[in-house]
Amino acid sequence: MLDYDEEAAAYDATRGGEPRAREAAHAVLGLIPDRPGRLLDVACGTGIVTRRLATARPALQVTGADLAPGMIRRAADRLPGAVLLADCRRLPFADATFDAVTSVWLLHLLPAPADVHAVVTECARVLRPGGVYVTTVDKAAAHDVGSDIDAVLAARPRRPAQDAADAVTAHAGEAGLAPAGRSAFPGLGQGRSPRTTIADLRRGWFTRLPPGDPRAESLAAALARLPDQDRPRPDPLFQLRSFTKPGH
């Protein structure tokens, strides 16, 4: 797993920046009723999406939480006084505090189903009756756009998809949440080129292939033989699911 303290400085620039954040925030808000209340953005990262949630819905009091101090420092510049350091498996909030909870690009990072269950359960716990939980699902699958790069990478070892939509829906059901809706948004600026994919392999972005692994170098050599080394292939399409907590 990447060190997100180290990643903080370059995180936005390497992951689509403001255009991707705009698309993400728009899609997330499309699944949340437009009314006054409180919203918690779990694993808010640099706050690039969180700030857009707050700006687009002035009637919502938005709070961001993240486990990485480097991310929180950047998020605090965007939302002064509205972010805090917290473990999403043990949120420091009372039951039924928020009208909406979001977790964008979080569940796929968790190491085991028990961790996903803990996070979804915590998000449900702090949600008020009638509230909405929105999360991304199937993130790794979103990057497989059927390109020649994907064909080269097909044989790589993969982590189990902890954020598989069916699994997340099951965790949500066990936490007392009911499916409510779905949406999708493009990861603008995140289409892979062969050259950037080689760099990502050597940085350890493909988590089952640590830097220097001979298998990574074999894939890098195959990627280097592809045409149009600097041409990005299509952008990923990220999936969202929403769930409601029964009540008024």
Side-chain angles (χ1 to χ4, degrees):
M1 185 170 172
L2 296 177
D3 185 328
Y4 280 87
D5 279 327
E6 292 184 2
E7 289 288 316
Y11 185 87
D12 294 339
T14 56
R15 290 166 175 82
E18 293 290 354
R20 183 182 80 153
R22 180 186 67 244
E23 296 294 328
H26 179 74
V28 166
L29 289 173
L31 296 171
I32 296 173
D34 188 359
R35 58 189 180 222
R38 298 186 66 186
L39 180 149
L40 174 65
D41 188 21
V42 175
C44 67
T46 65
I48 191 169
V49 175
T50 322
R51 178 178 62 183
R52 286 182 173 275
L53 298 176
T55 300
R57 294 278 179 88
L60 274 180
Q61 179 185 338
V62 175
T63 301
D66 201 280
L67 186 59
M71 293 290 194
I72 284 294
R73 285 192 290 272
R74 292 187 172 272
D77 290 337
R78 288 180 162 128
L79 295 107
V83 297
L84 73 159
L85 192 68
D87 187 333
C88 56
R89 294 164 295 188
R90 294 179 293 276
L91 293 169
F93 302 105
D95 295 358
T97 297
F98 296 95
D99 301 280
V101 179
T102 59
S103 59
V104 179
W105 302 305
L106 166 63
L107 301 183
H108 70 287
L109 297 172
L110 301 174
D115 297 286
V116 179
H117 183 79
V119 170
V120 174
T121 299
E122 275 293 271
C123 290
R125 180 185 65 79
V126 302
L127 198 62
R128 291 173 180 157
V132 180
Y133 171 52
V134 179
T135 187
T136 43
V137 297
D138 294 320
K139 183 176 185 295
H143 288 277
D144 188 346
V145 296
S147 71
D148 52 352
I149 294 174
D150 297 321
V152 170
L153 295 176
R156 78 183 188 274
R158 299 171 186 253
R159 294 176 64 236
Q162 305 298 351
D163 68 334
D166 288 348
V168 173
T169 299
H171 290 305
E174 292 171 11
L177 302 178
R182 60 181 64 189
S183 187
F185 62 94
L188 297 181
Q190 287 195 281
R192 293 169 172 158
S193 72
R195 200 180 308 280
T196 59
T197 307
I198 291 168
D200 291 345
L201 275 168
R202 290 173 172 162
R203 291 181 62 201
W205 276 28
F206 295 88
T207 54
R208 288 292 177 91
L209 290 173
D213 188 303
R215 295 171 298 176
E217 289 307 308
S218 175
L219 290 171
L223 290 166
R225 293 193 290 270
L226 294 179
D228 304 317
Q229 283 285 299
D230 294 308
R231 177 175 62 82
R233 277 43 171 184
D235 289 328
L237 186 67
F238 296 116
Q239 302 295 321
L240 289 169
R241 295 289 187 275
S242 68
F243 304 89
T244 57
K245 188 171 188 175
H248 56 80

